[in-house]
Amino acid sequence: MPLSEFELIERYFRGCGSRREDVIIGVGDDAAVLRCPADAQLAAAVDTLVEGVHFPRDSPAQSIGHRALAVNLSDLAAMGARPSWALLALTLAEAEERWLAEFAAGLGALARAHGVALVGGDTTRGPLSVTITVLGHVPPGRALRRGGGAPGDAVFVSGTPGDAAAGLALEQGRLPACEQAERLRRRFLFPTPRLALGERLRELASACIDVSDGLLSDASKLARASGCGVELMAAALPLSAPLLGAVGTSRARELALLGGDDYELCFTVRPNALERLTSEVPAAEWGYTRIGTLQEQPGARVLGEHGPLEISSSGYDHFAGA
Ligand code: ADP
Ligand code: MG
């Protein structure tokens, strides 16, 4: 017998994620009622994943559940906020129990890892699409912004960008399977929102953005919002061993700059705060790398070993004669 909407919600989404004392009324009533701390500001973000657009058709359900929450948590990480609650609007072609169990397991595991409670949502029938709203907290006036950077600020990125784009290419069969395939695929299927790093950066970074569209594009957005330009050094890009093994240096740099879906943090630090960053948030422990500098000249530039690289959306080429 097909699952009713009520049963579906009860079975898979009530109690999904962490149990939190500040949830006065959660799943099951007409709206959630949540207790807000008196000394914090609310941070809110929403993102939609549509099948065939944001993830391949027939992606593992566990990954869809994980990613739908991860992309939202990543937005809160970029603000230096700590997540508390999530709402899930799920559109499904059919209520298939195995799919739902795996989806809820993926979402629930990531939610529990970050102390997030699923407090409500909506369930409708239609082509597969997942919208999650996350709510979190940030100390008053302390949220990280895209627009706080200034010329001379050092530019950093966490993790190893490019892995997720290679992982997606492997998923879609655009890149032949190789020894490193599983590790790269996992970087696409199960991205890690950098929440702890975002909170640490609150007092240290001048600006921050999460890398969803591609490092170059997102660093450019940060620079533009900050009223400056950005110069990145190709040789400084942190490329993972699996990525280098799978595609080689040149293509790896291209994927790191232009690929998307990394959900790492790109952030800037004033020269006079660099020492504090190094001592309070050591790079070796937190996994971030300096990749460039903000500049007065608007726009985004990438410096290769032999001069500037010309970038187009399909990749980049060395300047002729440079
Ligand atoms: P209403 O029609 O009053 O909005 P629904 O039947 O849509 O009620 O939802 C009943 C309860 O289940 C509400 O508390 C709602 O927030 C919750 N809910 C519905 N769908 C989901 C979902 N996919 N995930 C989490 N909670 C959900
Ligand atoms: Mg409803």
Side-chain angles (χ1 to χ4, degrees):
M1 208 172 74
L3 214 55
S4 74
E5 187 184 324
F6 175 79
E7 287 167 327
L8 183 161
I9 295 164
E10 284 294 309
R11 192 166 306 173
Y12 298 107
F13 298 123
R14 187 200 277 281
C16 185
S18 288
R19 226 171 266 286
R20 293 180 60 102
E21 295 223 319
D22 54 12
V23 179
I24 313 298
I25 300 172
V27 169
D29 219 308
D30 289 310
V33 175
L34 310 164
R35 181 160 21 84
C36 301
D39 57 347
Q41 289 175 336
L42 193 63
V46 60
D47 254 317
T48 296
L49 301 189
V50 175
E51 183 179 51
V53 180
H54 302 100
F55 57 89
R57 233 164 262 289
D58 299 322
S59 284
Q62 201 188 339
S63 160
I64 299 170
H66 176 104
R67 287 185 79 242
L69 181 59
V71 304
N72 280 287
L73 294 180
S74 179
D75 281 326
L76 290 196
M79 303 301 288
R82 180 180 294 184
S84 306
W85 311 303
L87 294 127
L88 164 68
L90 181 60
T91 305
L92 279 173
E94 54 188 335
E96 202 196 302
E97 297 215 39
R98 214 177 107 201
W99 190 95
L100 278 161
E102 285 175 17
F103 173 87
L107 193 156
L110 184 63
R112 283 191 303 278
H114 294 287
V116 174
L118 185 65
V119 298
D122 191 30
T123 307
T124 53
R125 199 172 285 270
L128 181 58
S129 145
V130 189
T131 299
I132 291 185
T133 301
V134 286
L135 301 167
H137 298 100
V138 67
R142 309 307 312 181
L144 283 169
R145 310 276 313 257
R146 294 179 178 190
D153 288 3
V155 179
F156 296 86
V157 71
S158 65
T160 52
D163 291 356
L168 174 60
L170 284 160
E171 277 292 285
Q172 296 179 321
R174 290 183 284 112
L175 192 65
C178 56
E179 215 178 302
Q180 296 83 4
E182 196 46 36
R183 279 180 64 189
L184 296 170
R185 282 180 62 239
R186 286 196 65 83
R187 294 309 302 156
F188 173 78
L189 295 172
F190 298 98
T192 311
R194 303 294 181 188
L195 286 154
L197 179 61
E199 280 199 61
R200 280 304 191 96
L201 292 175
R202 221 157 45 205
E203 307 299 324
L204 287 165
S206 50
C208 189
I209 189 169
D210 74 316
V211 180
S212 51
D213 297 341
L215 179 55
L216 186 63
S217 157
D218 290 315
S220 302
K221 283 183 209 159
L222 180 154
R224 199 178 321 122
S226 296
C228 22
V230 60
E231 184 174 83
L232 302 180
M233 296 163 295
L237 291 168
L239 306 171
S240 75
L243 182 63
L244 285 167
V247 299
T249 306
S250 164
R251 182 87 182 111
R253 286 180 179 176
E254 212 171 280
L255 288 171
L257 288 166
L258 305 173
D261 300 312
D262 293 308
Y263 301 102
E264 296 295 345
L265 295 182
C266 175
F267 59 96
T268 59
V269 176
R270 295 262 196 277
N272 67 10
L274 285 172
E275 232 169 82
R276 266 189 69 204
L277 177 74
T278 311
S279 65
E280 293 176 25
V281 190
E285 191 181 322
W286 289 86
Y288 63 83
T289 309
R290 176 157 186 190
I291 54 167
T293 310
L294 292 183
Q295 297 179 327
E296 266 172 40
Q297 187 194 345
R301 293 161 291 283
V302 182
L303 272 188
E305 278 93 339
H306 308 291
L309 305 180
E310 193 171 4
I311 316 269
S312 69
S313 58
S314 58
Y316 64 79
D317 304 302
H318 293 272
F319 265 144

